[in-house]
């Protein structure tokens, strides 16, 4: 393997900009700016603030990045950079750390999407991934995060409080589940066109809720509420569906308790994808997920809050 050297400049990291200089024998060298927009706008690290790509905010970011490039005497202009990755982000505020864990377990039962694989938290790498960061956690059970990834897209759910304490030694009082849809260049161009990075961010700002909601639907994680098994059976029984449909719904609830994912449950039931989707639509009508809360969970139910998607970080890159 050819040597690739990455130099990290952390001078501006507390203000929201990490600069990576990459030198390679095989390719042209390049510079990456990893930007936390909220921190860059405020001039200090903002662990929980989320960014909206409004016109005035984009102008503020543009101005500050130009200043940094000039201060470092980098051999390029801001317009030479290309948008390499964007993280679309949601903070789900939970009532307790127990609810954060329950929500994580619910996401672990997601549909196994074609071309996506669950990311191994124990995988090691000697250098930073071009499109996607290395996993946050390396404990064996991966109790604090769940990630599924494909070539140009990665979706991660993790305990934000744990991440802040582990990586930044910051303790927060809120119990937060962080959802991140990380989209890299090729996928970005399909979603936001091939214009400059500012135009792409503006387009993503218009479409961000639709993008992440569509992804959650593919995972079957867009149900209004998750309840205990007894409550699920009660609502199924009280519904106006035919007996055969109710039996199938109860069977799916039972399978979701014993199977690791929607995909595994569908296969156990011998249903094709079309029939399975039709069955899930019945659950939508009674406003609950086939996934149920564990008996030991001391919470009445987990509702899906209506929270806007915002940018947590953008990565722009240029060859030098």
């Amino acid at each position: 393997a050819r040597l690739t050297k990455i130099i990290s400049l952390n001078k501006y990291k507390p203000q929201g900009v990490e600069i990576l200089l990459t030198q390679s024998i095989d390719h042209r060298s390049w510079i990456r700016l990893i930007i936390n927009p909220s921190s860059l706008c405020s001039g200090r690290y903002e662990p929980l603030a989320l960014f909206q790509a409004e016109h005035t905010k984009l102008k503020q970011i543009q101005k500050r990045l130009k200043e940094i490039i000039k201060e470092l005497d980098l051999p390029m202009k801001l317009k030479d950079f290309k948008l390499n990755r964007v993280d679309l982000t949601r903070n789900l505020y939970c009532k307790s750390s127990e609810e954060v864990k329950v929500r994580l377990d619910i996401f672990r039962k997601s549909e196994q999407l074609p071309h996506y694989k669950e990311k191994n938290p124990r995988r090691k790498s000697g250098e930073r991934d071009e499109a996607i960061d290395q996993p946050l956690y390396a404990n064996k059970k991966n109790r604090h995060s769940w990630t599924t990834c494909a070539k140009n897209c990665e979706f991660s759910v993790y305990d934000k409080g744990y991440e802040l304490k582990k990586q930044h030694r910051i303790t927060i009082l809120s119990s937060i589940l962080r959802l991140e849809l990380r989209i890299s260049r090729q996928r970005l161009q399909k979603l936001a066109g091939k214009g400059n990075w500012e135009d792409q961010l503006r387009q993503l700002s218009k479409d961000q809720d639709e993008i992440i909601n569509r992804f959650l639907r593919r995972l079957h994680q867009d149900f209004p509420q998750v309840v205990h098994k007894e409550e699920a059976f009660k609502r199924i029984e009280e519904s106006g569906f035919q007996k055969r449909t109710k039996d199938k719904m109860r069977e799916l609830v039972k399978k979701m308790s014993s199977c690791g994912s929607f995909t595994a449950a569908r296969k156990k039931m011998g249903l094709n994808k079309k029939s399975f989707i039709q069955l899930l639509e019945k659950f939508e009508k009674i406003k609950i997920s086939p996934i149920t809360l564990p008996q030991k969970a001391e919470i009445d139910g987990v509702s899906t809050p209506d929270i806007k998607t915002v940018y947590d970080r953008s990565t722009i890159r240029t060859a030098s």
Side-chain angles (χ1 to χ4, degrees):
R2 296 282 187 170
L3 177 65
T4 298
K5 184 178 181 181
I6 300 176
I7 301 171
S8 178
L9 303 180
N10 294 321
K11 178 181 178 181
Y12 299 96
K13 195 169 182 179
Q15 289 81 45
V17 181
E18 183 181 359
I19 302 169
L20 299 180
L21 310 177
T22 304
Q23 295 176 323
S24 174
I25 296 175
D26 294 332
H27 306 284
R28 294 175 65 190
S29 298
W30 64 85
I31 296 174
R32 273 183 290 165
L33 305 179
I34 301 176
I35 304 161
N36 182 316
S38 296
S39 298
L40 184 59
C41 286
S42 69
R44 63 182 185 276
Y45 180 55
E46 298 282 359
L48 299 180
L50 298 176
F51 179 76
Q52 294 282 0
E54 300 165 351
H55 177 74
T56 53
K57 294 292 186 181
L58 285 174
K59 287 296 182 184
Q60 190 176 353
I61 286 174
Q62 185 184 57
K63 179 183 177 182
R64 186 64 186 121
L65 289 177
K66 284 181 177 178
E67 291 172 350
I68 290 173
I69 290 172
K70 185 176 180 180
E71 288 170 14
L72 292 173
D73 197 23
L74 297 178
M76 74 284 297
K77 296 180 179 179
L78 184 59
K79 66 179 182 179
D80 297 325
F81 284 82
K82 305 294 182 184
L83 193 61
N84 199 52
R85 168 180 150 184
V86 167
D87 296 357
L88 298 180
T89 303
R90 284 181 180 176
N91 279 343
L92 301 186
Y93 287 82
C94 301
K95 295 178 181 177
S96 64
S97 58
E98 174 65 21
E99 185 179 338
V100 172
K101 294 175 184 176
V102 169
R103 284 185 179 273
L104 265 169
D105 286 338
I106 291 169
F107 271 101
R108 288 191 180 98
K109 293 190 176 237
S110 294
E111 176 78 4
Q112 295 172 1
L113 302 180
H115 312 299
Y116 279 78
K117 292 184 178 180
E118 189 169 338
K119 199 163 188 176
N120 184 352
R122 288 167 287 178
R123 188 178 299 160
K124 300 293 182 181
S125 175
E127 61 186 50
R128 196 157 186 165
D129 194 303
E130 171 62 20
I132 297 167
D133 286 347
Q134 296 306 313
L136 290 172
Y137 316 116
N139 74 51
K140 292 181 180 180
K141 292 185 180 179
N142 194 19
R143 292 175 296 127
H144 304 283
S145 71
W146 176 80
T147 302
T148 182
C149 59
K151 184 178 180 182
N152 296 301
C153 188
E154 175 172 307
F155 179 75
S156 186
V157 187
Y158 60 92
D159 184 338
K160 185 62 180 175
Y162 178 87
E163 181 253 357
L164 288 173
K165 189 173 182 179
K166 186 83 172 178
Q167 290 198 338
H168 304 285
R169 297 180 181 178
I170 294 173
T171 300
I172 59 173
L173 298 178
S174 302
S175 299
I176 299 174
L177 186 73
R178 169 64 63 88
L179 276 61
E180 286 184 1
L181 183 61
R182 304 162 187 154
I183 308 168
S184 29
R185 183 182 297 177
Q186 188 175 354
R187 182 64 179 155
L188 272 171
Q189 291 178 344
K190 290 181 180 179
L191 291 170
K194 297 183 179 181
N196 61 51
W197 62 269
E198 290 176 277
D199 289 340
Q200 288 177 320
L201 281 180
R202 287 191 186 96
Q203 186 61 48
L204 288 172
S205 180
K206 294 177 183 177
D207 301 337
Q208 56 192 7
D209 284 315
E210 180 185 347
I211 292 169
I212 197 166
N213 287 339
R214 190 164 60 235
F215 194 86
L216 290 174
R217 187 163 186 82
R218 291 179 66 195
L219 296 174
H220 306 320
Q221 293 291 351
D222 59 336
F223 290 95
Q225 191 177 23
V226 180
V227 298
H228 287 92
K229 189 180 292 184
E230 292 77 11
E231 176 65 18
F233 287 156
K234 180 173 178 280
R235 294 200 193 183
I236 291 170
E237 186 58 36
E238 291 174 351
S239 71
F241 300 129
Q242 295 180 357
K243 182 180 183 301
R244 184 178 173 216
T245 300
K246 290 181 180 180
D247 289 342
K248 282 287 183 186
M249 293 175 75
R250 279 189 285 263
E251 183 183 357
L252 179 55
V253 169
K254 292 175 183 177
K255 287 289 188 291
M256 289 308 302
S257 296
S258 59
C259 293
S261 68
F262 276 104
T263 310
R266 172 169 56 83
K267 291 178 179 178
K268 284 274 189 181
M269 293 178 69
L271 296 175
N272 59 35
K273 192 65 180 285
K274 182 180 178 180
S275 298
F276 190 68
I277 294 298
Q278 289 174 342
L279 185 60
L280 292 180
E281 288 172 353
K282 306 299 183 185
F283 281 92
E284 287 183 19
K285 289 183 178 180
I286 61 173
K287 303 184 185 306
I288 62 170
S289 171
I291 302 172
T292 55
L293 297 172
Q295 294 300 319
K296 62 182 179 180
E298 295 180 0
I299 49 181
D300 296 330
V302 176
S303 299
T304 303
D306 182 18
I307 299 178
K308 285 187 69 63
T309 306
V310 289
Y311 301 109
D312 180 54
R313 182 176 59 186
S314 302
T315 303
I316 55 178
R317 160 184 160 175
T318 183
S320 60

